[in-house]
Amino acid sequence: MNDKAKADKMTDEQKAALVGLTLDEVDRLADDLENEDKDDHLTGEVYIGRHHDEPEDDPMESITIRVPRSVLRRATQKAKAYHISRSELMRRQLAGI
């Protein structure tokens, strides 16, 4: 039996217990995460368009930098987590965001 088949046969209580929670705790966490008025630390400001206050006619310039492979790996992971490009991540970091 594969893992999905095993999980399908488990009760909600058993699934919650796998991660050390009760169903009441799961419900409370879900309510907190779904509450639009409560800061859940999962999202931040949403930027539409450019991420800084520069005039829109301010042209972009290209730069080239060399970084250790481990830094590039972390930057790639962070960019993926925020669903943005590595370039956008670097722009935000350089802008102090």
Side-chain angles (χ1 to χ4, degrees), residues 24-56:
D24 288 339
E25 291 170 316
V26 171
D27 288 338
R28 193 169 40 256
L29 287 169
D31 289 343
D32 286 348
L33 290 173
E34 292 172 1
N35 183 344
E36 296 293 326
D37 297 322
K38 185 175 180 182
D39 186 8
D40 56 18
H41 303 291
L42 295 176
T43 58
E45 290 184 54
V46 175
Y47 296 95
I48 306 298
R50 294 177 79 179
H51 61 279
H52 48 77
D53 294 331
E54 298 294 324
E56 287 195 25

Side-chain angles (χ1 to χ4, degrees), residues 53-68:
D53 294 331
E54 298 294 324
E56 287 195 25
D57 62 347
D58 187 14
M60 299 288 257
E61 297 287 339
S62 294
I63 62 170
T64 302
I65 61 171
R66 294 175 54 87
V67 297

